[in-house]
Amino acid sequence: MSPSTTFPASTGSEVRLSARRNDCTSPTAGLAPGYLQANMIILPSRYANDFRSLCARNPVPCPLIGESSAVGRFDAVKSYISSLSSPSSPTKNKSESVIQTNDLDLRRDVGRYMVYQDAEPVKTGCLDIVEEWTSDHVAFLIGCSYSFETALINAGLPPPHVLAKRNVAMYRTTIPLCPAGVFTGSTYVVSMRAYNRADLSTVREITSKYHATHGEPIAWGWDALKKLGIKSIDIPDWGDSPVSQDGRPLASLVGSETVIPVFWGCGVTPQEAVMRAGLKGVVMAHLPGHMLLLDCVDEDIL
Amino acid sequence: MSPSTTFPASTGSEVRLSARRNDCTSPTAGLAPGYLQANMIILPSRYANDFRSLCARNPVPCPLIGESSAVGRFDAVKSYISSLSSPSSPTKNKSESVIQTNDLDLRRDVGRYMVYQDAEPVKTGCLDIVEEWTSDHVAFLIGCSYSFETALINAGLPPPHVLAKRNVAMYRTTIPLCPAGVFTGSTYVVSMRAYNRADLSTVREITSKYHATHGEPIAWGWDALKKLGIKSIDIPDWGDSPVSQDGRPLASLVGSETVIPVFWGCGVTPQEAVMRAGLKGVVMAHLPGHMLLLDCVDEDIL
């Protein structure tokens, strides 16, 4: 059952306030269609500069779109959208207020959170982080592929997992991130959607516009599995095992010349990088799938 | 012999005007110390958007710092520096004029050029591209690691190839670039400088500030060779075979626990990507090592 049929909220603000009341405990896919959803990572301030650098050096898997407005502030965010260079309008500065969001409490406005202590999870799926948040924490917002999935659906090319009401399949790869400070030894995480080879160029073109939410795919075709170091298409590291657009297990189509896997940078990448860096102290994040809803719409970041 | 001892020009402008007079036909390493030097690629305009996107998605090997001010214009450049997000001051917009350079002729102001027709080289080392330049061409400027080499020298950590008055060693790798439009199937090119393991953290920190000219290294240590797909440290794809700081062949130190290879993203990457994409028409570039000198200094891009 689609989350949107159980929780028909219509704006980002409504979902956010529901989460604050602990009334939004399911994944946010399909909620408030068109409103921007963000991955969130909250770090001790001593790691903030290195994390910004990690994102600047790896913008495809780690598109940083905002951060809390000052160390310890949980009620306002500042936007990175204006400093993201858009290939089509590199010198055009977008409004710095594009992701400014009214009535915000980063400690409560995500449906479910993760809490890590010294790189080990200590809470999974908790409803708020009021106790864990300190005056030394900085929150970072990372773009989410839900933005381009809406565009694919509108173009008549819905991702198979959306049609099947499943979670998207995500995989660890062996492709290294460019290291930044304490963040070394990490690799890309990718999400995968199967498409007909004939639709590949259209799929690439549609998603290429969403450069703040992973942009066009980073690899495609069956030989990409080996290049990315993915052992089995049927065993993702996160999400559900993948299907084709007509609902068949994708594993039954390995090597097909008509249906191919297409891989995008994934917003789980920075969370993985934070874990692999073995950061000391308390780190917090959204529970994967349970995003922060913002007041702006997907088109605001194009 | 160091180029600077044969051609002691002291400003970017002096080198540029010398090149225009065909008086600057040697590599530009060491010329006008502290002035920004840039890689240059000139493409038919139909490829310009994809190339901008390639750079935006791969900022470490392809740091786009400027482009010609309009299609067909060879006498002015516009800066991307203001839209590059600096991890330390992401919302601070640098002056858009930072790389504006007076008295510029992109067709003559590089000492030696490359000309490609349909992805095949047709001229190597020519002194100008006045005949080849058309009203449909767009020139792109890419940051160059000479910027951080000056900083390393000033910190008492000169790269070994500088001490030995050799060219830096550059290697093709198997690390894929994030594709962008027509630019698919390309991989990182890296430059390598050997350092004592004890100096690695200082070397990383110094170069990390130069995010517009490749920033900190992307890999280090002897096991990085395998990760990057480099078969032999002694056989670079461009430049001279590498040495240690005391001048020994680096190949004699393979596996050393004290001296290790350190790899950075390299400005040859976009030129390789352009070649591998099999672009139709006339593409031009600087001859590797023969950079465009600008009027601004390295510190302007920090």
Side-chain angles (χ1 to χ4, degrees), chain A residues 201-267:
Chain A
S201 63
T202 309
V203 166
R204 288 185 67 202
E205 190 177 346
I206 289 170
T207 56
S208 71
K209 298 185 180 73
Y210 291 81
H211 60 277
T213 55
H214 308 303
E216 68 166 272
I218 66 163
W220 50 83
W222 292 105
D223 56 355
L225 289 173
K226 191 178 172 195
K227 286 180 194 163
L228 298 172
I230 296 172
K231 294 210 175 76
S232 167
I233 197 76
D234 208 33
I235 308 175
D237 293 293
W238 296 269
D240 295 325
S241 65
V243 295
S244 62
Q245 282 201 300
D246 55 9
R248 284 178 289 172
L250 196 61
S252 70
L253 294 164
V254 169
S256 163
E257 292 192 2
T258 52
V259 178
I260 58 172
V262 184
F263 298 92
W264 279 264
C266 176

Side-chain angles (χ1 to χ4, degrees), chain A residues 57 80 83 90 93 180-181 204 216, chain B residues 57 80 83 90 180-181 204 216:
Chain A
R57 285 163 66 81
Y80 278 79
S83 61
N93 279 330
R204 288 185 67 202
E216 68 166 272
Chain B
R57 285 163 66 80
Y80 278 79
S83 61
R204 288 184 68 201
E216 67 167 276

Side-chain angles (χ1 to χ4, degrees), chain A residues 49 52-53 56-61 67 78-80 82-88 90-91 93 96 174-184 188 204 208 211 214-220 227-228, chain B residues 49 52-53 56-61 67 78-80 82-88 90-91 93 96 174-184 188 204 208 211 214-220 227-228:
Chain A
N49 269 336
R52 291 183 196 109
S53 183
R57 285 163 66 81
N58 301 281
V60 172
E67 67 172 77
K78 60 184 177 187
S79 175
Y80 278 79
S82 63
S83 61
L84 287 173
S85 57
S86 159
S88 57
T91 57
N93 279 330
E96 294 215 354
T174 52
I175 307 297
L177 291 190
C178 290
V182 298
F183 299 103
T184 62
Y188 278 61
R204 288 185 67 202
S208 71
H211 60 277
H214 308 303
E216 68 166 272
I218 66 163
W220 50 83
K227 286 180 194 163
L228 298 172
Chain B
N49 268 336
R52 291 182 196 110
S53 184
R57 285 163 66 80
N58 301 280
V60 171
E67 68 172 76
K78 60 185 177 187
S79 173
Y80 278 79
S82 64
S83 61
L84 287 172
S85 58
S86 158
S88 58
T91 57
N93 278 332
E96 296 214 355
T174 52
I175 307 296
L177 291 190
C178 290
V182 298
F183 299 103
T184 62
Y188 278 61
R204 288 184 68 201
S208 71
H211 60 275
H214 307 303
E216 67 167 276
I218 66 163
W220 49 84
K227 287 179 193 163
L228 297 172

Side-chain angles (χ1 to χ4, degrees), chain B residues 16 19-22 24-25 38-42 74 104-116 121-133 139 141 271 283-293:
Chain B
R16 202 166 64 248
R20 194 180 304 174
R21 293 190 305 267
N22 297 341
C24 177
T25 54
N39 300 276
M40 184 165 68
I41 290 183
I42 302 168
F74 53 78
L104 184 71
D105 185 341
L106 297 171
R107 308 166 307 170
R108 294 183 169 98
D109 289 358
V110 165
R112 291 187 180 275
Y113 294 83
M114 293 288 304
V115 179
Y116 301 85
V122 290
K123 286 190 182 180
T124 297
C126 54
L127 301 180
D128 68 61
I129 49 169
V130 172
E131 272 186 31
E132 291 82 3
W133 178 280
L141 306 185
Q271 201 165 147
V283 169
M284 295 160 275
H286 67 288
L287 183 67
H290 300 248
M291 303 294 175
L292 177 69
L293 273 282

Side-chain angles (χ1 to χ4, degrees), chain A residues 8 14-15 31 42 51 57-58 66 86 125 129 140 142 172 188 241 250:
Chain A
E14 284 171 336
V15 175
L31 297 189
I42 303 168
F51 186 76
R57 285 163 66 81
N58 301 281
S86 159
I129 49 168
F140 294 97
I142 312 282
R172 288 189 181 94
Y188 278 61
S241 65
L250 196 61

